[in-house]
Amino acid sequence: MHDCETDVLVVGAGPAGGSAALLLATYGVRTLLVNKYGWLANTPRAHITNQRTMEVLRDLGVEDEALAVGSPPELMGDTVFCTALAGAEIGRIRSWGTGERSATEYGAASPCTMIDLPQTYLEPILVTRAAARGAKVRMDTEFLDLQQDDDGVTARLRDRVRGDEFTVRARYVIGADGARSRVAEQIGLPIDGQAGKAGSMNIVFNADLSRFVAHRPSVLYWVLRPGAHLGGIGMGLVRMVRPWNEWLLTWGYDIDGPPPELTGEQARQIVHDLIGDPSVPVEITSTSLWTVNHNYAAQYSVGRVFCAGDAVHRHPPSNGLGSNTSIQDSYNLAWKLAMVLEGHADPALLDTYSAERAPVGKQIVDRANLSRDQFGPIFEALGVAGGANDEGIERGLAACWADDAEGGKRRRALHEAIQLKNYEFNAHGVELNQRYRSAAVLDDGSPEEVWEQDADLHHQPTTRPGAKLPHAWLVDAEGHRISTLDLVGGGEFSVVTGLSGQVWQQAAAGCGVPVRTVVIGAEGARDAYGDWHRLSEVDEDGCLLVRPDGYIAWRRATSPDTPEAAAEELRTALRAVLHR
């Protein structure tokens, strides 16, 4: 006998676990979410929330809640490089798609905007909504170990309030228990890369800094101080949590030495040093140490146990990819679990989770660590690559602004070094160009995709199988704009076709699996702007089979000759994707 039973046990209530529980509960799956601690995020660690994650929240019906508590793009914009908030400014870079040239591209790519949503605000939305939709949530509940068999998983847990142990019998387990994942360790996931590359400290504090920053609103203020080249994430960082009085400061320490023990006064001195004005009243609310890692799992599951989030990809916060990738892991996995549990798919479908997400995890770990290293050219342009004291930094700045040939050379190098940081602060392609290759994506025989621009910097929409359905604005029956993304998702497959694709509407009705039909051009989904015509890459009577996560599983450029042939092709494709 077991103390309780569920379909899916989710371990960890961070972005990966909270979103997994919310997704599964939304899909009607019995879910138990357990969290080791008695609280959700107590520091505002992750914060950048990119367009793809906002699309997931939109599909879940919680986008408006996120927008209500997040900081909008206009307050995220100019990433500033300086010697202190009150000191000399080295340069700026327009960030997160807020620049004049990039705003159009970001706006065309998605119905959603990026926002700054600290983890302390994100996690309560996910967990509260999961509970409201039927997930059972237990706090102060520690995962101890698990055993698998052919029919399910038995997990042993500890109630940290009462101190007793109990067991949960689940058909599947998701380990979303962070960078020190006990679940990943239990199932022996292979973790590649390097741990402990550098040491960092976070200092969360309250201070009214509006006079230093309100005229140049940003999420990130990068500060070059003596020692900035050692450890940490490239430079000192003063990060806005709430404008303009709640902040998180990040500074490095030498990981080869003993970890520092910060007193409140020492933390205040570091804060005043990066502000550049010791007269500013500062309230320290917390301090913590962490290490920069370059780790990723080559596979994300063993048997009936799956891992997501920091359990399988561990990296510095550069590019703001952490919570975004974690939520997108869960978005990929949850619908597959739901389909298997409902009997619509064979369990072999679950193997595609690792096949699709592990390459993404490695990509974002590599990208985040490369972005951290790309502060080096800024130091070199200023002549402080080997480290410098205040006098050396001032001397480097003076040389950079000198009105002679050497000054001009240094300025060009500095401008180029700052522009290189577009790969961290405007990596639109990294965020939206993720392509899946797996047995849940059917090759249509079209030529390999040709990247017209830098794939890291620029989003390239396509309807090729393995890509995300492109966003295009349509017009509904009442004349309001509606995105193509609003017509798919919700835990169901969708067939997307045009007015002359009636054969696909008939075919969808006989698939044996719930399939939504989306007819673009019909009343309620008029292609008023012609955007879908330009993006679809198929004829009006063609067909896209879109998965519940918005990814295209299969496409047919035109319709077959008969309704019977269309029905057979669609059924065959769906059976292949679901491994039926």
Side-chain angles (χ1 to χ4, degrees):
M1 288 289 294
H2 303 290
D3 296 288
C4 67
E5 295 185 357
T6 189
D7 286 331
V8 180
L9 169 65
V10 180
V11 181
S19 58
L22 175 53
L23 285 156
L24 291 166
T26 302
Y27 299 158
V29 174
R30 287 191 308 159
T31 304
L32 172 62
L33 173 66
V34 299
N35 190 45
K36 179 179 179 180
Y37 304 103
W39 58 84
L40 298 175
N42 59 351
T43 60
R45 299 182 291 277
H47 60 113
I48 296 296
T49 308
N50 66 33
Q51 288 176 298
R52 181 54 182 157
T53 297
M54 292 299 291
E55 290 171 0
V56 177
L57 300 183
R58 186 184 184 96
D59 185 33
L60 282 166
V62 298
E63 180 191 18
D64 287 345
E65 291 181 63
L67 290 170
V69 295
S71 295
E74 56 266 27
L75 298 182
M76 297 171 65
D78 283 358
T79 294
V80 175
F81 302 90
C82 55
T83 59
L85 294 188
E89 186 175 298
I90 298 168
R92 305 184 192 182
I93 186 169
R94 295 179 179 88
S95 305
W96 319 118
T98 60
E100 290 80 357
R101 287 185 292 274
S102 58
T104 300
E105 179 183 320
Y106 276 66
S110 175
C112 304
T113 62
M114 296 185 74
I115 61 172
D116 190 83
L117 183 63
Q119 205 165 331
T120 42
Y121 294 87
L122 168 64
E123 288 186 13
I125 294 174
L126 300 176
V127 175
T128 300
R129 286 297 162 196
R133 296 179 189 179
K136 304 304 180 185
V137 179
R138 284 190 59 125
M139 308 298 282
D140 276 314
T141 302
E142 182 179 6
F143 168 81
L144 299 177
D145 54 40
L146 60 79
Q147 290 185 332
Q148 298 194 59
D149 55 51
D150 291 342
D151 299 319
V153 185
T154 300
R156 190 166 60 96
L157 308 173
R158 176 187 293 123
D159 186 308
R160 299 180 75 208
V161 176
R162 296 193 308 256
D164 61 307
E165 297 178 6
F166 63 100
T167 60
V168 172
R169 181 67 174 172
R171 295 179 67 182
Y172 296 97
V173 170
I174 299 176
D177 49 340
R180 297 183 179 89
S181 172
R182 186 175 289 183
V183 176
E185 181 183 358
Q186 278 272 306
I187 63 175
L189 282 189
I191 305 293
D192 297 329
Q194 177 187 354
K197 289 180 61 177
S200 288
M201 64 180 73
N202 281 354
I203 302 171
V204 182
F205 66 97
N206 295 324
D208 180 2
L209 303 182
S210 54
R211 70 180 184 273
F212 305 113
V213 299
H215 61 289
R216 48 182 181 178
S218 177
V219 174
L220 305 175
Y221 298 85
W222 293 94
V223 183
L224 176 62
R225 301 296 300 155
H229 67 294
L230 294 174
I233 53 175
M235 291 178 73
L237 173 65
V238 180
R239 184 197 120 197
M240 179 268 285
V241 177
R242 306 301 280 179
W244 302 111
N245 51 27
E246 187 178 349
W247 302 86
L248 184 150
L249 179 150
T250 302
W251 189 245
Y253 68 88
D254 185 358
I255 200 169
D256 295 325
E261 296 182 6
L262 275 182
T263 65
E265 184 54 38
Q266 289 170 329
R268 192 171 290 103
Q269 289 176 0
I270 294 172
V271 170
H272 277 145
D273 185 42
L274 268 64
I275 294 174
D277 184 346
S279 69
V280 175
V282 169
E283 177 193 5
I284 305 296
T285 59
S286 71
T287 63
S288 59
L289 302 180
W290 53 280
T291 58
V292 174
N293 298 313
H294 190 136
N295 293 119
Y296 49 87
Q299 69 183 67
Y300 283 12
S301 66
V302 173
R304 291 174 171 266
V305 182
F306 303 82
C307 286
D310 288 356
V312 283
H313 36 77
R314 306 161 191 175
H315 52 87
S318 310
N319 286 77
L321 296 168
S323 63
N324 293 290
T325 307
S326 300
I327 290 171
Q328 291 158 34
D329 286 344
S330 296
Y331 198 39
N332 182 287
L333 176 60
W335 73 265
K336 296 174 182 177
L337 284 169
M339 288 284 171
V340 171
L341 288 164
E342 291 165 4
H344 295 315
D346 187 88
L349 171 65
L350 301 175
D351 294 336
T352 66
Y353 171 58
S354 281
E356 293 178 351
R357 294 304 296 175
V360 172
K362 182 180 185 304
Q363 179 198 11
I364 63 100
V365 169
D366 290 344
R367 178 66 258 172
N369 276 275
L370 179 57
S371 291
R372 171 185 175 269
D373 296 339
Q374 284 176 334
F375 280 103
I378 295 177
F379 296 148
E380 292 169 6
L382 294 170
V384 296
N389 54 23
D390 285 330
E391 183 179 336
I393 293 171
E394 291 177 6
R395 188 165 53 246
L397 279 172
C400 199
W401 306 134
D403 58 354
D404 55 20
E406 178 61 24
K409 179 180 177 182
R410 284 177 177 259
R411 284 190 291 279
R412 284 192 298 274
L414 180 59
H415 290 315
E416 290 172 2
I418 290 176
Q419 288 305 305
L420 183 63
K421 299 304 289 180
N422 274 305
Y423 285 93
E424 178 171 0
F425 305 125
N426 290 298
H428 202 211
V430 173
E431 296 163 1
L432 294 184
N433 285 341
Q434 295 172 10
R435 305 289 194 253
Y436 291 160
R437 294 177 181 268
S438 79
V441 172
L442 307 182
D443 187 355
D444 67 346
S446 58
E448 283 293 315
E449 188 172 1
V450 176
W451 295 96
E452 298 174 357
Q453 300 182 85
D454 190 311
D456 278 2
L457 292 180
H458 300 285
H459 171 48
Q460 180 165 297
T462 179
T463 63
R464 283 176 54 87
K468 181 178 74 71
L469 180 72
H471 155 68
W473 285 119
L474 308 171
V475 174
D476 69 12
E478 297 176 347
H480 301 124
R481 292 201 311 176
I482 185 171
S483 171
T484 48
L485 304 187
D486 296 328
L487 302 177
V488 301
E492 293 184 346
F493 278 85
S494 301
V495 165
V496 179
T497 187
L499 269 177
S500 57
Q502 295 96 335
V503 294
W504 300 114
Q505 300 178 52
Q506 301 168 27
C511 286
V513 173
V515 178
R516 178 192 294 112
T517 301
V518 176
V519 181
I520 296 180
E523 188 69 16
R526 290 190 298 110
D527 187 17
Y529 302 100
D531 291 342
W532 180 247
H533 175 74
R534 289 188 290 272
L535 289 170
S536 67
E537 300 176 327
V538 297
D539 290 347
E540 188 186 272
D541 64 346
C543 171
L544 303 177
L545 178 62
V546 183
R547 306 183 334 180
D549 59 358
Y551 270 74
I552 297 162
W554 173 79
R555 72 175 174 179
R556 179 74 147 75
T558 59
S559 66
D561 294 333
T562 66
E564 293 77 15
E568 180 57 29
E569 285 195 33
L570 183 59
R571 284 197 298 267
T572 299
L574 198 54
R575 283 198 298 266
V577 171
L578 294 175
H579 296 67
R580 288 165 62 98

